[in-house]
């Protein structure tokens, strides 16, 4: 799952149950990630400085790699996400990354 860090995605409110926190605030991403079982490969990350309307263009490379890995068993694409040296972990354009593989 992905979102931006801009105000349209995360207004950084104290309680998103009482106030609109944005389209995809970090607190909701964490909750959704934690509610997914660990028997599936999952990853959560936010695009640094991106507003919600920027997400299509700013996430395209990783979304394509995710689909190539899962739908075509493309091991090279999987290196973007898999292991302690996954490419996304050292990409300064992404933050708040959590993954289970």
């Amino acid at each position: 799952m992905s979102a931006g860090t801009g105000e349209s995605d995360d207004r950084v409110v104290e309680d998103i149950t009482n106030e609109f926190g944005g389209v995809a605030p970090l607190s909701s991403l964490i909750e959704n990630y934690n509610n997914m079982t660990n028997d599936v490969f999952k990853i959560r990350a936010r695009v640094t400085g991106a507003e919600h309307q920027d997400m299509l263009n700013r996430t395209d490379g990783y979304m394509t790699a995710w689909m190539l890995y899962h739908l075509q068993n493309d091991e090279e694409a999987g290196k973007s996400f898999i292991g302690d040296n996954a490419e996304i972990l050292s990409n300064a354009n992404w933050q708040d990354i959590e993954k289970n593989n």
Side-chain angles (χ1 to χ4, degrees):
M1 63 187 70
S2 63
T5 61
E7 192 170 295
S8 58
D9 267 351
D10 193 347
R11 293 185 54 231
V12 192
V13 300
E14 287 188 37
D15 184 358
I16 64 170
T17 62
N18 291 320
E19 184 178 357
F20 179 66
V23 176
L26 179 58
S27 58
S28 72
L29 294 178
I30 292 170
E31 181 179 354
N32 291 335
Y33 180 92
N34 290 340
N35 284 333
M36 293 174 65
T37 60
N38 282 324
D39 61 333
V40 297
F41 181 17
K42 58 184 180 176
I43 185 168
R44 166 182 58 79
R46 298 196 309 160
V47 182
T48 304
E51 293 295 340
H52 190 72
Q53 67 269 16
D54 302 326
M55 294 303 292
L56 182 62
N57 291 329
R58 300 271 305 268
T59 64
D60 183 52
Y62 283 130
M63 296 301 136
T64 299
W66 184 264
M67 296 299 176
L68 285 170
Y69 175 70
H70 285 284
L71 300 176
Q72 295 185 355
N73 297 315
D74 185 326
E75 297 297 324
E76 190 66 28
K79 292 177 183 178
S80 298
F81 312 106
I82 298 172
D84 294 336
N85 295 317
E87 194 274 335
I88 195 169
L89 296 174
S90 61
N91 186 330
N93 296 310
W94 290 77
Q95 66 183 61
D96 306 312
I97 301 164
E98 186 171 353
K99 61 190 202 69
N100 70 342
N101 193 345

